[in-house]
Amino acid sequence: MTDAANSNIAETPPAIDTDQWRRNLSAFTDNAGGDGSSNDVRTKVLALFKQEYAQHRARIEQELLTHGDGDRCCEDLSDLMDGIIQALHDFALTHVFRVKNPSSAERMTIVAVGGYGRGTLAPGSDIDLLFLLPYKQTPLGESMVEYILYMLWDMGFKVGHATRTINECVRLSKTDFTICTSILEARFIWGAEPLFDELLVRFDQDVVAGTAETFIAAKLAERDERHRKSGQSRYLVEPNVKEGKGGLRDLHTLYWIAKYFYRVRSQAELVDLGVLSENEYRRFQKAQRFLWTVRCHMHFVTKRAEERLSFDIQSLIAERLNYQTQPGLSAVECFMKDYFLVAKDVGDLTRIICASLEEKQAKAAPGLTAIVRSIRGRTRKIRGSTDFVNKNNRIAVVDDEVFARDPVNLIRIFQIAAKNSLKFHPDTLKLATRSVHLIDDDVRNNEIANSLFLKILTSHKEPEITLRRMNESGILGAFIPDFGKVVAMMQFNMYHHYTVDEHLLRSIGILSEIETGVLVEDHPLASTFIDALPDRLPLYVALFLHDIAKGRPEDHSIAGADVARELCPRLGLDEAQTDLVVWLVQEHLTMSNTAQSRDLNDPKTIRDFTETVQSLDRMRYLLVLTICDIRAVGPGVWNGWKGQLLRTLYYETEPVLTGGHSAMSHKQREQRARDVLRERLSDWDENERERVLQLPYANYLLAVDPEDQARHMTFIRDTDKAGLPLATSVHTRAFEAITEITVLAPDHPRLLSIIAGACAAAGGNIVDAKIYTTSDGRALDAILINREFDDPEDEYRRAARIGKLMEDVLSGKTYLPDMIAERTKPGRGELVFSIPPVVTIGNALSEHYTVIDVEGLDRPGLLSDLTRAIADLSLNIASAHVVTFGEKAVDSFYVTDLVGHKITSPQRQTAIRKKLLPILKGEAAKKSVKAKKPAVIEIDI
């Protein structure tokens, strides 16, 4: 914060002029004949409080926008609330209940507890009050409490309150850590101050003394449970500013523990005790100020106690904090990077304070004997090291000059700890964190240091954990500066759940789990060959670097390859290893994009992919990297369907790479497939079997798995026997986490659009669609939707309902436009994000089809609108591939004209773009909602 800002803060008027309030309140009473309890006076008093509070609150918000100091904002709001409570107390006592000299039994103290007790109050926070009594409740005390509370409630405040004697406070604090913590933060507001002083003395003597160990254990367990509920990582891209890991509550917990253990009343005293250095204390204050500032803005913007820094408000907060766009990073991404750097500082401070608790003061605390034993256990040498020792399974330094004497030790200590499965002695990790500045170019280019780093990266013993320790200490970013650039960097989208550095570290952890067999059931193919890869080192390095160039203006895959080309020789990789790493980083999205967006039954897709990978080993490397990359994006991003697509691409490409592809002609392959199907239907009536065998065309027979063919033919036979003009069937695939809904209906250009609309109306998320026709003029469409329920019966019932809706729409029983309109209210992504629409039309991706690729903001009904428009353009859709990356839809359609030809005319391609771009922009959807009665799509049945 600037000096000017500090100057402005110093000159701001006091939060509330309580003397003026008292004069106004007295005037109300005098005008009512001295009766402050009348309804007329109460109404005027309440109106005065509301008016004054609203004015002061508006002023405080404006000052926050000016000076940007959340601490000051919270202090001002707390002062304002103090003034309100003080004035209410005096008015009630003097004018409502007309008591001039309350007896000793009628004394009462109003105490702020919890967050309000710290003298900081966020705009939407609860008001936590303790009405402290000397003895039992008296009629006056009860009436006073009731009057104050009702006035506060009528003003719109959320008030948490308790009325207790000192003895009750002490007794309850011994059994309830929530009450104990609230009184630990107690602050006098008004009333009988000696009563409050007595509470502090009794609390310190009867509750705190000798119970530090129990309190600390309880608060740390409470913190761990809170982290579990809000997400274990402090790098979630929609963090909870109050309760999340690295948030305000973590700072509060640290202060509670330190305050309880060291018996201090202010944070500054921790410096005098040596718990924090001056620099660390400034980091504590800076982190606290930043988090309070963000939280205050969140409450003001949302007009409620919003604690989750969601995408919806991140841009608004960034704007209020005056963040600007930087090359490669938007203003909101710059803001969120600062947020995560602060969250990282909170983690550092947690380790530092806990280290001091464990080591420096443990000897003086009888209740911490267990910790003393764990820290001061027998010291043992570590083989091969003279600078580090093993203190009861924790790595420690032999002296405080270890890192200054040889800065390479800042890397070596992590390698030794990983090799020997040692945790870190708290003082040692603290010393390492404070020694980061010793890492310079000499250390970065040191051959031994780089060799040690590669051992850490490729360790068989949980490399993710070691790398995370290095990252949180700041050593990893200092040693690999390009990695340091992505530390705490978020990507403003709904797809990525973590910051870039967290994503990279998680991907390393997943690779280690695949290699050690932990994920063999999830990834059976990768697990079969990962041990046979010629060299595991390039895979780990490539995975560590694959997103390292995020946040730069250029394509991160190309820029990342340049980083790898420069960094790999420094790390000690030879030319062949470097070339492989560079290629993997550059192509790390290729296999995922091909598998999800291309028709894997199209020979051209396989040939193009083969030309990219060129060898079986490279494809295997790329497959493993792709799996780790997708899984590390966040919970729920990876599913069995994506795994199946990758396996299909692998199995289709493998024979081409190994020279084992079939030399049979297209006609021979078709005949063989028909014979295989005939064999699978051998138990059918011969005439029925031969009739059905003539229905599928060659493209169906060559593209669909024989088992699925048999299922489809059985479905056709049963539908025909029942005399149904259209029908649907459901098949769930548990391993792929996908459900197939097969539709048999008279063929029609808009059939896929209607099916997609029905899915959208029913909440089904289509990920793939295979469109086939039969020789008798019907469509056999296989629609694949994401699985929603784990239980097969629940999922089957859900899919059957969607299938029934498709039948009702196709038969005219249900009016689809109305149903879609109900579900096309703006979604979260539509309200927050803006994605430039793109329509790409190409004829080089397939021998027989034109491929239309579209990108745009996802919304309910988008696929239905796109496929309807394509049908309106007199195009046939052979297959559709639907991919959603958070708020971004990336759909691909393989199409021909009505006579089966590609779309080569520039005029027709222009017409396609003109038709689809407004849909991607949402213009067509808006017109549809405004229309009184959308046109009905009818299919003759």
Side-chain angles (χ1 to χ4, degrees):
M1 190 164 55
T2 65
D3 291 338
N6 278 312
S7 176
N8 288 336
I9 294 172
E11 295 172 1
T12 55
I16 183 171
D17 186 347
T18 53
D19 290 337
Q20 182 60 46
W21 277 47
R22 290 186 181 91
R23 287 191 290 271
N24 292 339
L25 294 171
S26 296
F28 290 154
T29 307
D30 292 341
N31 291 335
D35 185 5
S37 63
S38 70
N39 288 333
D40 181 58
V41 171
R42 187 184 188 281
T43 300
K44 290 181 178 180
V45 169
L46 183 61
L48 173 67
F49 275 95
K50 285 184 175 181
Q51 176 184 345
E52 291 290 332
Y53 176 76
Q55 291 176 354
H56 283 292
R57 180 184 169 97
R59 173 182 60 79
I60 291 170
E61 180 179 5
Q62 188 57 47
E63 288 173 359
L64 175 66
L65 292 170
T66 302
H67 58 60
D69 187 339
D71 279 344
R72 177 61 191 233
C73 176
C74 293
E75 290 166 4
D76 284 350
L77 287 169
S78 178
D79 290 346
L80 175 60
M81 184 54 58
D82 286 356
I84 290 173
I85 292 171
Q86 290 166 10
L88 276 175
H89 172 276
D90 289 356
F91 176 75
L93 188 65
T94 305
H95 298 292
V96 177
F97 302 108
R98 305 179 190 180
V99 177
K100 294 184 178 179
N101 295 305
S103 67
S104 59
E106 293 175 324
R107 288 183 306 153
M108 181 176 68
T109 304
I110 305 178
V111 180
V113 293
Y116 182 33
R118 286 188 298 274
T120 53
L121 196 63
S125 292
D126 294 355
I127 314 300
D128 294 323
L129 297 175
L130 169 64
F131 295 94
L132 187 63
L133 307 174
Y135 310 110
K136 291 182 179 180
Q137 177 73 282
T138 64
L140 174 63
E142 184 176 356
S143 298
M144 285 282 295
V145 169
E146 184 178 277
Y147 184 87
I148 293 172
L149 287 177
Y150 273 102
M151 289 292 285
L152 291 173
W153 286 331
D154 287 347
M155 287 181 68
F157 294 117
K158 294 173 289 183
V159 184
H161 64 95
T163 304
R164 299 189 184 107
T165 65
I166 293 177
N167 286 337
E168 288 172 333
C169 289
V170 170
R171 177 173 55 82
L172 292 172
S173 294
K174 290 180 178 181
T175 58
D176 189 319
F177 283 108
T178 300
I179 295 175
C180 179
T181 305
S182 71
I183 296 179
L184 184 67
E185 300 265 55
R187 179 176 60 84
F188 172 76
I189 297 180
W190 209 237
E193 192 165 4
L195 200 60
F196 174 74
D197 295 336
E198 184 181 347
L199 171 65
L200 295 186
V201 173
R202 288 282 309 279
F203 181 75
D204 190 64
Q205 293 176 349
D206 298 348
V207 179
V208 176
T211 62
E213 179 182 4
T214 304
F215 180 82
I216 291 171
K219 299 318 289 183
L220 292 178
E222 182 183 279
R223 178 200 63 180
D224 293 343
E225 176 62 17
R226 176 166 44 80
H227 289 170
R228 186 190 66 78
K229 289 181 178 179
S230 61
Q232 286 290 346
S233 175
R234 64 174 56 92
Y235 304 113
L236 290 168
V237 294
E238 290 186 292
N240 187 308
V241 175
K242 180 183 177 183
E243 302 288 350
K245 193 171 186 179
L248 272 168
R249 186 66 80 209
D250 277 2
L251 283 178
H252 297 160
T253 300
L254 288 179
Y255 183 47
W256 292 334
I257 289 174
K259 191 173 184 179
Y260 204 97
F261 184 81
Y262 295 111
R263 317 281 274 276
V264 298
R265 298 295 296 174
S266 70
Q267 300 165 357
E269 292 178 66
L270 296 176
V271 178
D272 298 332
L273 291 170
V275 178
L276 294 174
S277 67
E278 286 283 357
N279 179 58
E280 289 158 352
Y281 175 58
R282 284 194 293 272
R283 287 171 66 193
F284 191 107
Q285 288 184 306
K286 180 181 176 182
Q288 181 174 259
R289 183 180 301 112
F290 181 89
L291 292 172
W292 271 123
T293 302
V294 172
R295 190 181 181 211
C296 286
H297 279 298
M298 290 167 62
H299 286 195
F300 279 128
V301 164
T302 61
K303 295 179 172 55
R304 63 178 184 274
E306 178 60 63
E307 310 298 355
R308 183 164 168 255
L309 187 50
S310 62
F311 291 126
D312 312 56
I313 58 175
Q314 286 177 8
S315 294
L316 293 173
I317 306 302
E319 182 179 350
R320 288 169 71 100
L321 293 174
N322 298 316
Y323 278 87
Q324 304 297 320
T325 298
Q326 302 293 331
L329 288 178
S330 65
V332 66
E333 289 170 334
C334 292
F335 158 54
M336 291 305 297
K337 181 168 185 176
D338 279 356
Y339 177 89
F340 291 116
L341 287 172
V342 167
K344 181 177 178 295
D345 277 346
V346 174
D348 293 342
L349 292 166
T350 300
R351 288 190 299 275
I352 290 167
I353 291 180
C354 287
S356 295
L357 280 170
E358 290 183 356
E359 179 70 2
K360 287 190 174 182
Q361 297 296 326
K363 292 183 290 184
L368 293 179
T369 53
I371 297 179
V372 174
R373 284 195 299 271
S374 70
I375 299 299
R376 300 178 58 80
R378 186 166 62 89
T379 300
R380 291 172 291 173
K381 293 182 179 180
I382 297 176
R383 179 177 297 180
S385 174
T386 58
D387 290 322
F388 305 107
V389 292
N390 180 340
K391 284 190 175 181
N392 198 31
N393 293 322
R394 297 186 184 214
I395 193 168
V397 294
V398 295
D399 60 63
D400 288 348
E401 299 300 316
V402 162
F403 301 126
R405 194 164 51 244
D406 182 5
V408 173
N409 276 333
L410 286 166
I411 310 300
R412 183 177 287 112
I413 187 174
F414 290 96
Q415 191 273 326
I416 292 174
K419 179 181 178 181
N420 295 277
S421 301
L422 297 174
K423 296 180 180 180
F424 273 76
H425 190 281
D427 273 357
T428 298
L429 195 56
K430 184 177 180 179
L431 179 63
T433 300
R434 290 176 172 176
S435 304
V436 172
H437 66 279
L438 297 172
I439 297 179
D440 54 17
D441 284 342
D442 289 339
V443 177
R444 296 183 191 104
N445 293 313
N446 185 282
E447 185 177 340
I448 295 175
N450 283 286
S451 175
L452 291 168
F453 175 72
L454 286 183
K455 290 179 180 178
I456 293 169
L457 178 63
T458 60
S459 172
H460 291 281
K461 296 182 177 180
E462 299 181 315
E464 178 190 359
I465 293 177
T466 307
L467 290 170
R468 180 166 280 109
R469 286 174 178 166
M470 293 183 71
N471 189 36
E472 292 184 347
S473 67
I475 290 172
L476 184 54
F479 187 65
I480 309 289
D482 284 299
F483 186 89
K485 293 177 182 178
V486 298
V487 169
M489 179 186 291
M490 67 95 67
Q491 298 163 78
F492 189 62
N493 58 55
M494 293 173 62
Y495 179 62
H496 293 90
H497 293 230
Y498 305 108
T499 56
V500 178
D501 57 325
E502 178 72 1
H503 166 72
L504 292 174
L505 299 185
R506 284 175 177 263
S507 69
I508 294 294
I510 292 165
L511 173 56
S512 178
E513 290 182 334
I514 293 175
E515 192 176 25
T516 55
V518 175
L519 297 177
V520 64
E521 292 186 3
D522 292 347
H523 307 292
L525 176 59
S527 298
T528 59
F529 62 67
I530 191 167
D531 290 335
L533 290 175
D535 186 358
R536 59 195 289 272
L537 175 61
L539 182 56
Y540 274 91
V541 175
L543 199 55
F544 177 72
L545 300 179
H546 75 274
D547 276 350
I548 203 165
K550 282 285 182 74
R552 306 188 188 196
E554 59 269 46
D555 183 287
H556 80 280
S557 298
I558 304 299
D562 292 339
V563 171
R565 190 175 288 108
E566 181 178 347
L567 182 61
C568 286
R570 191 202 104 180
L571 293 175
L573 277 69
D574 61 29
E575 185 176 351
Q577 291 172 321
T578 298
D579 287 344
L580 178 55
V581 172
V582 169
W583 180 84
L584 285 170
V585 173
Q586 184 169 315
E587 303 292 341
H588 76 270
L589 296 174
T590 299
M591 194 167 193
S592 173
N593 289 341
T594 302
Q596 296 185 71
S597 300
R598 297 289 167 248
D599 189 342
L600 303 184
N601 296 308
D602 192 315
K604 185 67 165 56
T605 299
I606 305 305
R607 286 202 301 273
D608 289 346
F609 184 66
T610 301
E611 290 178 8
T612 299
V613 297
Q614 296 184 346
S615 74
L616 182 59
D617 282 339
R618 278 196 169 192
M619 182 171 67
R620 287 176 169 176
Y621 279 116
L622 190 57
L623 173 63
V624 178
L625 186 147
T626 302
I627 291 170
C628 297
D629 185 15
I630 296 175
R631 284 196 69 134
V633 167
V637 175
W638 173 267
N639 57 38
W641 173 241
K642 292 176 182 176
Q644 181 59 45
L645 290 174
L646 290 171
R647 284 190 295 273
T648 300
L649 178 57
Y650 178 92
Y651 284 129
E652 290 293 327
T653 307
E654 183 182 35
V656 181
L657 289 170
T658 58
H661 57 281
S662 173
M664 287 191 296
S665 67
H666 186 275
K667 190 68 176 177
Q668 289 173 318
R669 291 172 59 212
E670 176 191 347
Q671 187 57 51
R672 179 179 177 182
R674 207 176 294 274
D675 290 341
V676 170
L677 179 57
R678 180 180 284 106
E679 178 62 28
R680 284 183 173 269
L681 306 180
S682 59
D683 58 340
W684 284 29
D685 173 78
E686 184 176 354
N687 291 333
E688 184 68 10
R689 181 181 63 201
E690 293 305 315
R691 180 188 73 83
V692 171
L693 280 171
Q694 300 310 308
L695 294 177
Y697 288 111
N699 66 327
Y700 173 88
L701 292 168
L702 297 177
V704 180
D705 183 82
E707 183 177 344
D708 291 332
Q709 291 181 24
R711 179 168 49 81
H712 291 159
M713 294 306 107
T714 302
F715 168 51
I716 292 175
R717 180 194 64 182
D718 294 345
T719 301
D720 290 346
K721 282 185 177 180
L724 299 174
L726 65 92
T728 58
S729 71
V730 172
H731 177 64
T732 60
R733 305 183 190 176
F735 183 72
E736 293 93 338
I738 214 77
T739 296
E740 176 187 312
I741 303 177
T742 307
V743 181
L744 182 65
D747 196 16
H748 188 281
R750 293 191 179 184
L751 181 61
L752 180 58
S753 174
I754 298 172
I755 291 172
C759 273
N765 182 34
I766 297 177
V767 296
D768 216 342
K770 301 292 185 181
I771 295 93
Y772 303 104
T773 55
T774 61
S775 60
D776 60 357
R778 289 183 289 180
L780 182 67
D781 293 352
I783 309 301
L784 302 176
I785 62 175
N786 277 329
R787 188 184 182 99
E788 185 171 313
F789 296 104
D790 292 332
D791 184 89
E793 293 183 3
D794 290 341
E795 178 63 16
Y796 184 88
R797 283 192 291 269
R798 167 194 174 242
R801 285 196 298 270
I802 297 176
K804 181 63 168 59
L805 178 59
M806 292 178 182
E807 294 180 28
D808 290 347
V809 171
L810 290 170
S811 62
K813 295 179 181 178
T814 299
Y815 186 59
L816 183 59
D818 283 348
M819 294 192 66
I820 294 180
E822 290 179 5
R823 294 190 59 91
T824 51
K825 297 175 183 178
R828 187 163 169 243
E830 294 175 79
L831 296 172
V832 179
F833 300 96
S834 176
I835 297 177
V838 178
V839 177
T840 305
I841 302 171
N843 286 305
L845 295 170
S846 174
E847 291 179 345
H848 305 292
Y849 303 102
T850 293
V851 179
I852 303 175
D853 290 325
V854 301
E855 294 182 10
L857 192 61
D858 191 28
R859 59 175 170 79
L862 176 62
L863 181 61
S864 176
D865 290 344
L866 289 170
T867 50
R868 183 173 63 251
I870 292 173
D872 290 344
L873 289 163
S874 299
L875 300 175
N876 283 329
I877 300 175
S879 65
H881 309 274
V882 183
V883 186
T884 303
F885 298 100
E887 76 286 354
K888 183 179 181 180
V890 181
D891 299 345
S892 299
F893 305 96
Y894 283 64
V895 305
T896 65
D897 61 19
L898 295 181
V899 293
H901 294 157
K902 287 186 175 184
I903 314 304
T904 57
S905 165
Q907 291 78 14
R908 286 207 71 184
Q909 292 184 4
T910 299
I912 293 171
R913 292 189 185 93
K914 284 186 176 180
K915 186 78 171 179
L916 299 184
L917 280 172
I919 294 173
L920 292 168
K921 293 177 182 177
E923 295 171 4
K926 292 174 185 176
K927 291 178 182 178
S928 176
V929 171
K930 291 180 181 179
K932 292 183 178 179
K933 187 171 182 180
V936 181
I937 300 172
E938 295 182 352
I939 293 180
D940 294 330
I941 300 298

